[in-house]
Amino acid sequence: MEQWKGKTHLTIHRARAFPGKDDQPDMQIPGGGSDHAGFLTFAGVPVIDFNMVNATRNSYPLYHTLFETPFLNEHLYDKPDFAMHRTIGRYWAELARTLADSPVLPINVTRIAQEMGSNYVVQLKKALNSLPANPNLLEAKQQVDFLEKAAGKFLVRAQSFVEHARHVRDALPENPYDQRKLRGVNERIMMTERCFVNPRGAPGAPQNRHVLYSISEKDSYTGKVMAAVYDAIDDYVDATDKKKAGRKVAEQISIIYHSVHCATNTLKHFF
């Protein structure tokens, strides 16, 4: 099997067709147009949506038509002998096996911390700075500054936690009957994700509870980062009462801040 920078054949092809950061394949935010949406946006359970795509177009010409038949797949789209279907099935099975058999959950909390500081906060600052100067946005911009500082602390704590988790995993063969530290690591990984679930949901959309990866009330199909924040910004632009709308923007950003603060505290070492 082809190897490249420690990656296997399937990952290589995806990274070459859809290049992302740090030699990793580009991964979009899961949208709301499928069954996985409720698990992520309401329950805060991590999800993955993977499928076969053509690098030159978003979809194939006969998608969702009467001509989309098994014969078409076998003799035109996926020849010979459903090779791509088999590959996707094996990939799914390997993911399931890895999640089930890994002593430590194979979820790297530093990825979300890195994205928060280097991407999400940066884009949010650009969005606010692009608006006409207005005193009613000062509180929102102050909340972004708080969020930026919190994101930096989150990244430091996440990096320390990942190193701690690696030591716990490596020590497991020496003492496989001591599950206390292992359970503590796994529970903190799961609880970190739940820190980003707002029990009240987004304004006007209580079903959209994940404050980072949810769907916008203005577009229920496309996944969006911090949808409630950007919806509040859009509402501010159209509002006649800028003072009230500005406070709503600040409120939504403060919810993100408290979620990051929760995640940072969750990753503390207790033993």
Side-chain angles (χ1 to χ4, degrees):
M1 182 172 289
E2 186 179 2
Q3 293 282 332
W4 177 68
K5 296 186 178 181
K7 301 175 179 61
T8 55
H9 186 78
L10 188 61
T11 308
I12 294 172
H13 279 287
R14 179 160 180 82
R16 289 173 178 171
F18 305 97
K21 295 180 180 179
D22 302 324
D23 299 321
Q24 297 290 331
D26 180 51
M27 297 180 67
Q28 300 297 316
I29 304 301
S34 191
D35 296 336
H36 64 256
F39 290 95
L40 177 62
T41 64
F42 183 82
V45 177
V47 302
I48 180 171
D49 179 17
F50 56 90
N51 50 51
M52 297 177 288
V53 294
N54 188 320
T56 61
R57 60 173 66 95
N58 291 330
S59 183
Y60 53 89
L62 299 180
Y63 179 62
H64 278 191
T65 70
L66 293 175
F67 300 100
E68 191 179 29
T69 63
F71 181 89
L72 181 74
N73 277 282
E74 183 177 5
H75 295 281
L76 184 60
Y77 288 147
D78 195 7
K79 58 181 183 181
D81 196 24
F82 291 106
M84 282 301 303
H85 280 76
R86 290 202 311 273
T87 301
I88 291 295
R90 290 168 179 170
Y91 182 61
W92 180 91
E94 179 59 22
L95 283 176
R97 186 204 62 79
T98 300
L99 287 168
D101 290 352
S102 297
V104 175
L105 289 172
I107 298 175
N108 191 337
V109 293
T110 59
R111 295 300 297 271
I112 189 173
Q114 289 168 341
E115 286 296 304
M116 176 64 67
S118 65
N119 188 0
Y120 303 161
V121 174
V122 173
Q123 296 303 318
L124 180 56
K125 292 180 74 172
K126 287 181 180 179
L128 288 176
N129 290 334
S130 68
L131 299 175
N134 191 311
N136 295 309
L137 285 175
L138 291 179
E139 186 179 356
K141 291 182 177 181
Q142 185 181 44
Q143 289 295 332
V144 173
D145 291 337
F146 292 154
L147 178 59
E148 186 173 30
K149 294 177 182 178
K153 294 178 181 179
F154 181 30
L155 177 58
V156 172
R157 183 64 55 78
Q159 291 171 333
S160 175
F161 174 79
V162 168
E163 185 65 18
H164 169 69
R166 185 182 66 81
H167 286 302
V168 171
R169 183 194 62 208
D170 293 345
L172 188 62
E174 299 177 6
N175 190 6
Y177 301 103
D178 183 8
Q179 298 291 313
R180 182 172 58 94
K181 291 184 178 180
L182 186 63
R183 185 168 59 251
V185 167
N186 286 330
E187 287 180 354
R188 277 182 283 168
I189 291 174
M190 292 185 289
M191 291 305 298
T192 297
E193 187 73 35
R194 293 170 190 168
C195 280
F196 294 95
V197 175
N198 177 11
R200 296 176 296 174
Q207 73 278 10
N208 296 337
R209 305 198 310 167
H210 203 296
V211 301
L212 287 185
Y213 308 127
S214 196
I215 51 180
S216 168
E217 279 300 283
K218 306 177 189 298
D219 181 359
S220 61
Y221 193 82
T222 305
K224 191 172 184 179
V225 175
M226 298 190 292
V229 175
Y230 285 99
D231 282 353
I233 292 175
D234 291 340
D235 291 341
Y236 169 85
V237 173
D238 298 330
T240 54
D241 187 346
K242 296 295 186 184
K243 184 176 182 180
K244 182 178 180 180
R247 285 179 175 174
K248 288 185 177 180
V249 175
E251 178 185 357
Q252 291 304 315
I253 298 173
S254 72
I255 292 173
I256 306 291
Y257 165 79
H258 284 291
S259 296
V260 172
H261 185 65
C262 169
T264 303
N265 287 336
T266 298
L267 295 177
K268 279 184 179 180
H269 301 324
F270 295 103
F271 43 78

